[in-house]
Every structure is written in C-alpha cells, then in structure tokens.
C-alpha cells in the first residue's frame, strides 16, 4: 500500500520527462516554448522566421506562434527527408475579446468553445488561465508575452441534481453558449460588465504583466486544468493528464530528434519535426497543416542545401512523413464502439492507423517503413481500423500527404477519454512511441 502522499513518479526517465513536458505546456505557445528550451539545451540554434536558413550543417529550429519546426541541416537533401508531424493544440475554452460578464451575483469570464470539447469534463474542475498577450512596448513596437496564472482561478459548477431531475433519464445536456461560462468572483468588486473596472480580466492580466490596461493590445488566452499529470492505477502503469492529445506525440517527437542526432553522418534522409497549431479545428490557418508553413520551410531547408527546385521536388519523392497523433484505445465500458477484430490496449505498443477512405493517410508503402523500423528496435505495434457504421476522425496526415505528395503513415500512442479535460494513457507507451520515432529517424 502507498504510505506517502507524495506524487508517484514514473520509473522510466523518458516517461517522467514527458509528464513534466505536459505540466509545463498549458497552451500551444507554452508547448512551443518548452520544446524550444529542450532544443536549446541540445545545442539547436533558433532561426528567425524572417531570416535566411543557414546552409552549413547544424541543428536548427524556427517557431511561429504555436508552431515549431526543428531539423538537422545537411549539405544535401538528395536522399530525401524524414518528417515527423504532430500538433500542439487541444480542445479547450478560449477567452472572448470582451470577457467580463455578470449573472446571479457572480462575475464570470466569457468563453468560446475551441474544437471538439467534451464539455461535461470541464464541469467542477479548478481552472487556470494562460496564453499569450500582445503588449505595446512604449516605443511604437509590440511585445508578445507568455502569460500564465496557474492558480485555481476559474470554475464551472454543475447544476445540482435537485434542480435537474431529468438528468438520470435524459442525460446531461449542456448548451455551449449558456452553460460553459466559468465564474471567478462574487459581483460587487467593480462596475458590472466594464472591462476596465477593478476586478475585470484586462486589469487582472495587466497587473500580472506589470503594464497598464491600455498597453494590452490583444490576447490569445485560454482556460486549462491546473491539476498536474498523475500516475494512476494499482500497478502505477497508467497516467492521467490534460492535453495527452497531442502533446505526448509532440514531445516524444522532439525528444526522438534530439536523441538521434548523428553529427558524423552526412548521407541519408534529413530529419525534421514539425509541430502544428490548429489541428483540432481543421488546420486551416497560417500555422496549421493546411497552410504553407511546412512546404515553405522544406523549400528553404532544401535551398540552404543548395538544391534547386527540381532537386527539391525529387527529394520529396524519396521522403516519408510520420503523422503522430493520439489513437483510440478500446474502452472497456463501450467495447461495442470499436472494430471487433482490431482492439487496442494501453501499454501494448504504438498504433498504426488505417482508413480505406483516407481519413488516415497510411498505405502499404508508408506502413512498411514503420513496421521495419519497429522490428529493428523491438517496438510493439498495434493496428487501428474504425467501425464502418461510425464516422472516422482524421489527423494532419492526409492534409500533409496531399500538400506534399509524400508517402505518409498515421501512428500514435493509445489513450482513453480523448478530448476530455483529463485524458488517460499508458506509461510504457511513451517509451514505445519515443523508441519507434527514434528508429524511424535512425533508418534514414
């Protein structure tokens, strides 16, 4: 029996590190900062997005908002490229431009629903606020700052069952406009609805940043669960956390890139990781998979290696894309929701995802590369197929494959409660995913 109240730490150093990554990344902007810190510590050099990409061999990364691209520059891209893609965003609640509202004697923060949120999971949770804030710097410029308040600042109380007697027969029904507005104080500490009043969110954020309210020009703020990731289960082999989808893939990819850097190797496919934003809302953005972020970066990497346009296009024909995103484990209480012959277990290995209608981009050519890499490092694999009578989700895989014309395979660590505020997965699968992605890079 456990006799200590101290949190249990995973026995695997990699798993412990990834749980720390999750805790440090309440928003895509914080996830990119965390990834940048890891890359800096591994002697990668940041390149400004508007600066030329250096041509000499070396370790580089560039970041734009909630997205980041990291790679090992080579003298040539003639052998092609290995691209591992993931995404930094998760479904959540995002602060409106005019956030302050009052109702029933409470001051509240108006929110927009971002992505496919499991709304019920956000009830009765302790929520903090984080994101980025654009601030006037006093010299006519703009300073974009990270913001984090990890106190239990906000809460959305569920309606008492005494006032919702039909919930047992009809289930919980939430209106995203009326029922998902968190409260954060009692009314009376300022003029209701006035964004500039004492107690207003703008003043709260300005005070935290040490600026005047008029200095705040804009923000991208969002709520997050302040509860830290936790090892769970009788055998301490599972974990629960916010944002498993898809920060697990993001940080396993970054760590795999760092761990497989080979300064002595001049041949082989150039290794690159891309972390996109906005996957959860369709990827149609300047920093999403449907935008020009990756294609522009790959062309610049190729140009830095002195490849002309024809040489760059030829290199794509020799390349491979790994789309790494969370996979559905078989839910023990809803086994009928899963394809009977393709059950997925936690801690049983990385999942290769296939869909005949190309909701996942995997085909025989791309799958074979992953299977071969897994065999080289003894990494267990599982195979996911969606039921024919349920609509299938998708990933950055098909989008990236279509834009680049490169063989692409969809893989991911299995998890439960996808899109909940607090998801669940297996600790061993963190090592499985990290080992597999490293093996793919090493095969280059």
């Amino acid at each position: 029996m456990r006799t200590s109240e101290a949190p249990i730490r995973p026995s695997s150093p990699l798993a412990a590190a990834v749980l720390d990554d999750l805790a440090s990344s309440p928003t895509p902007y914080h996830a990119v900062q965390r990834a940048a810190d890891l890359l800096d510590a591994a002697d990668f050099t940041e390149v400004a997005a508007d600066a030329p990409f250096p041509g000499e061999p070396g370790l580089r990364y560039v970041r734009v908002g909630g997205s980041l691209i990291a790679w090992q520059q080579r003298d040539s891209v003639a052998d092609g490229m290995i691209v591992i893609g993931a995404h930094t965003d998760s479904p959540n609640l995002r602060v409106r431009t005019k956030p302050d509202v009052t109702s029933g004697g409470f001051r509240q923060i108006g929110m927009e629903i971002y992505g496919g949120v499991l709304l019920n999971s956000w009830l009765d949770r302790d929520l903090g606020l984080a994101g980025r804030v654009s601030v006037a710097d006093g010299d006519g410029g703009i300073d974009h700052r990270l913001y984090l308040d990890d106190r239990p600042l906000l809460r959305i109380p569920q309606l008492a069952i005494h006032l919702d007697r039909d919930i047992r027969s009809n289930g919980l029904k939430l209106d995203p406009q009326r029922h998902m507005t968190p409260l954060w104080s009692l009314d009376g500490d300022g003029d209701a609805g006035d964004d500039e009043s004492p107690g207003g969110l703008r003043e709260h954020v300005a005070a935290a940043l040490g600026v005047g309210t008029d200095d705040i020009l804009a923000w991208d703020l969002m709520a997050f669960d302040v509860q830290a990731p936790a090892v769970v289960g009788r055998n301490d082999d599972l974990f629960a956390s916010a944002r498993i989808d898809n920060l697990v893939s993001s940080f396993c990819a970054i760590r795999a890139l760092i761990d497989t850097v080979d300064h002595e190797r001049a041949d082989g496919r150039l290794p690159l990781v891309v972390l996109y934003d906005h996957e959860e809302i369709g990827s149609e953005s300047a920093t999403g998979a449907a935008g020009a972020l990756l294609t522009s970066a790959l062309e610049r990497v190729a140009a830095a290696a002195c490849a002309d346009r024809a040489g760059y296009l030829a290199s794509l024909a020799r390349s491979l894309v790994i789309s790494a995103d969370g996979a559905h484990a078989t839910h023990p209480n809803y086994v009928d929701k899963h394809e009977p012959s393709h059950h997925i277990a936690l801690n049983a290995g990385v999942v290769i995802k296939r869909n005949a209608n190309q909701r996942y981009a995997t085909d025989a050519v791309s799958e074979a590369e992953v299977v071969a890499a897994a065999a080289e490092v003894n990494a267990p694999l599982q195979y996911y197929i969606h039921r024919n009578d349920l609509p299938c989700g998708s990933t950055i895989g098909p989008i990236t494959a279509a834009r680049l014309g490169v063989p692409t395979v969809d893989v991911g660590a299995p998890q439960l409660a996808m899109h909940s505020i607090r998801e669940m997965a297996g600790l061993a699968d963190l090592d499985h995913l990290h080992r597999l992605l490293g093996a793919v890079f090493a095969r280059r």
Side-chain angles (χ1 to χ4, degrees), residues 75-78 299 301-312 315:
D75 285 327
S76 171
V77 294
E299 287 196 59
V301 168
C306 299
D308 58 16
R309 177 72 175 172
Y312 164 65
S315 75

Side-chain angles (χ1 to χ4, degrees), residues 65 81-82 93 142 155 172 265 283 293 327 339 441:
M81 294 172 271
I82 294 286
L93 308 183
I142 300 173
R155 196 171 177 88
L172 177 64
R265 186 170 182 177
S283 296
L293 180 72
E339 171 57 37
F441 276 143

